[in-house]
């Protein structure tokens, strides 16, 4: 049965792709509310839904609604169908993209953690005043490529960095993230921020990913026009009694588009890689195409193009070793997932 979606949802990023996916769901009734998850707190979702279509005030076309996540696997950014009584999330519309990592855990069980759903661009944030952590950046790129969104690197704190240092560190980042856009910005002076907002010019959803201390919170505040990372621009509902146990929020940008604000992540564990490793290490895979042997391990085989590039100084041996570790990690995770399926 077709679900009627109010036009105001286009302000949240609704499009024909989601409409087609929704039409294929066995939704409960033809007037179920459809909304987008703004925040998740201990089994509850704050869902942004359209106000009554007769309300003409543009500032009030959306409202917050609280619903239980009973049996629903939801993430911030998801499109959901609410039950007829509005008390729970009935169904989750299939995602167009998802930023997912392995959940941090001391146990052996492999558990996924969806950081954000239905995102168009992932900002990978690093500080330009410090030597870049290239190994972390490589992991972030794998996650971003596998999410289905477009990765963009944002180097913050240009106002507190000498020009020579900024150029050197930007070059190091560009050498690691081949072909990925790199923006140098200052959240204090506003330098470079307009270029970032262009990525949401058509109403796209951006996600911000970065370690603690790189200026991510200040960047989020500058982009959204808020004074606190924890304060979203839509605060129209009654927030009393709401738990605040998660720092992931979907917040509006000043003109158009949305931003998913995530907490600083210490661990970037892979979950599953489609072509993320291949795209993040495209230089090595291109070299490997010219090796004599198709199954070349890039160790001591004759006519190995990868080892030749290392010998000639065209490829850093540490980059090859980093790729090997990620490939091994992915293989171990796949075995772990297979064991979990058999239990």
């Amino acid at each position: 049965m077709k679900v009627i979606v109010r036009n105001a949802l286009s302000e949240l990023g609704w499009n024909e792709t989601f409409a087609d996916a929704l039409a294929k769901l066995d939704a409960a009734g033809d007037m179920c509310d459809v909304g987008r998850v703004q925040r998740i707190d201990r089994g509850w979702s704050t869902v942004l839904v359209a106000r009554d279509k007769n309300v003409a005030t543009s500032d009030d076309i959306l409202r917050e609604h609280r619903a239980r996540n009973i049996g629903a696997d939801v993430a911030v950014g998801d499109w959901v169908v609410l039950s007829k009584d509005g008390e729970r999330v009935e169904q989750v519309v299939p995602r167009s993209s998802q930023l997912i990592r392995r959940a941090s855990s001391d146990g052996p069980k492999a558990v996924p953690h969806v950081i954000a759903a239905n995102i168009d661009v992932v900002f990978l944030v690093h500080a330009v005043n410090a030597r870049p952590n290239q190994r972390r950046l490589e992991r972030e790129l794998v996650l971003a490529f596998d999410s289905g969104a477009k990765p963009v690197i944002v180097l913050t704190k240009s106002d507190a960095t000498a020009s020579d240092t900024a150029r050197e560190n930007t070059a190091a980042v560009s050498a690691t993230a081949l072909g990925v856009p790199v923006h140098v910005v200052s959240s204090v002076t506003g330098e470079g921020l307009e270029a970032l907002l262009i990525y949401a010019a058509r109403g796209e959803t951006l996600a911000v990913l970065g370690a603690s201390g790189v200026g991510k919170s200040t960047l989020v505040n500058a982009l959204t026009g808020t004074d606190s990372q924890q304060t979203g621009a839509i605060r129209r509902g009654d927030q009393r009694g709401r738990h605040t146990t998660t720092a992931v929020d979907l917040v509006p940008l000043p003109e158009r588009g949305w931003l998913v604000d995530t907490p600083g992540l210490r661990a970037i564990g892979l979950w599953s890689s489609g072509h993320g490793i291949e795209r993040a290490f495209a230089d090595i895979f291109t070299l490997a195409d010219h090796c004599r042997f198709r199954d070349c391990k890039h160790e001591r085989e004759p006519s190995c193009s990868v080892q030749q590039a290392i010998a000639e100084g065209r490829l850093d041996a540490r980059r090859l070793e980093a790729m090997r570790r990620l490939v091994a990690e992915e293989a171990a995770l796949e075995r772990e997932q297979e064991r979990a399926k058999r239990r």
Side-chain angles (χ1 to χ4, degrees):
M1 185 174 294
K2 186 175 179 57
V3 177
I4 297 176
V5 181
R6 302 181 177 102
N7 291 335
L9 292 188
S10 62
E11 296 296 321
L12 282 168
W14 184 263
N15 56 39
E16 289 299 319
T17 299
F18 297 121
D20 291 342
L22 178 62
K24 297 175 183 178
L25 293 180
D26 182 22
D30 61 355
M31 285 299 291
C32 292
D33 271 326
V34 176
R36 197 169 188 195
V37 177
Q38 181 188 30
R39 187 181 177 94
I40 298 174
D41 305 291
R42 294 184 181 177
W44 289 85
S45 284
T46 299
V47 183
L48 294 176
V49 298
R51 284 194 183 276
D52 187 275
K53 60 184 178 181
N54 295 321
V55 177
T57 306
S58 60
D59 289 341
D60 293 324
I61 60 175
L62 299 172
R63 64 180 174 85
E64 292 181 352
H65 180 85
R66 296 266 287 160
R68 294 282 298 183
N69 303 329
I70 302 175
D73 181 16
V74 296
V76 170
D78 266 329
W79 289 98
V80 297
V81 179
L82 300 176
S83 59
K84 285 185 176 181
D85 58 13
E87 292 185 0
R88 69 183 186 282
V89 172
E90 187 76 24
Q91 296 186 78
V92 178
V93 178
R95 296 163 178 160
S96 63
S97 63
Q98 58 180 355
L99 187 61
I100 183 171
R101 66 164 181 164
R102 176 174 176 158
S104 300
S105 174
D106 294 331
K109 186 178 180 181
V111 178
H113 170 214
V114 180
I115 301 170
N118 300 316
I119 53 177
D120 300 291
V121 177
V122 182
F123 287 160
L124 305 179
V125 183
H126 291 249
V128 75
N129 64 347
R131 191 67 181 172
N133 184 337
Q134 292 168 293
R135 304 291 82 88
R136 179 186 172 97
L137 178 57
E138 288 161 350
R139 283 179 170 272
E140 291 174 341
L141 285 167
V142 172
L143 261 66
F145 279 126
D146 279 332
S147 74
K150 176 182 179 178
V152 172
I153 298 171
V154 179
L155 301 179
T156 61
K157 304 185 180 182
S158 65
D159 58 288
T161 310
S163 57
D164 290 346
T165 300
R167 282 195 296 269
E168 180 181 347
N169 291 341
T170 301
V173 166
S174 298
T176 300
L178 303 176
V180 176
V182 179
H183 295 269
V184 180
V185 306
S186 168
S187 302
V188 176
T189 67
E191 176 193 0
L193 296 185
E194 286 297 325
L196 299 185
L197 291 173
I198 290 175
Y199 288 102
R202 295 180 299 177
E204 291 90 345
T205 299
L206 316 177
V208 181
L209 187 67
S212 299
V214 298
K216 185 180 69 67
S217 299
T218 308
L219 175 66
V220 168
N221 294 339
L223 290 174
T224 60
T226 62
D227 295 327
S228 170
Q229 184 187 20
Q230 299 298 322
T231 303
I234 291 183
R235 308 288 289 183
R236 303 187 187 106
D238 180 4
Q239 300 305 304
R240 290 178 297 176
R242 186 170 76 171
H243 295 291
T244 55
T245 59
T246 175
V248 181
D249 282 287
L250 178 71
V251 294
L253 293 167
E255 298 297 329
R256 294 197 65 189
W258 295 80
L259 183 145
V260 178
D261 179 19
T262 68
L265 300 179
R266 289 180 297 176
I268 304 291
L270 302 186
W271 175 246
S272 61
S273 177
H275 299 285
I277 292 179
E278 183 176 347
R279 295 180 68 181
F281 294 89
D283 53 341
I284 297 178
F285 279 84
T286 298
L287 288 169
D289 288 339
H290 300 284
C291 292
R292 174 189 291 184
F293 302 107
R294 182 172 298 180
D295 60 347
C296 184
K297 304 298 183 185
H298 316 308
E299 295 174 347
R300 297 181 179 180
E301 296 88 344
S303 300
C304 172
S305 296
V306 175
Q307 286 297 332
Q308 181 179 349
I310 292 174
E312 295 174 355
R314 293 182 288 117
L315 177 67
D316 190 336
R318 292 172 295 182
R319 182 164 168 80
L320 174 62
E321 183 57 31
M323 188 196 75
R324 284 173 171 160
R325 286 197 297 269
L326 292 178
V327 170
E329 180 180 330
E330 180 187 40
L333 178 60
E334 289 175 352
R335 291 192 297 269
E336 196 172 324
Q337 291 170 339
E338 285 299 319
R339 288 195 296 269
K341 291 179 182 178
R342 292 195 295 268
R343 292 192 186 105

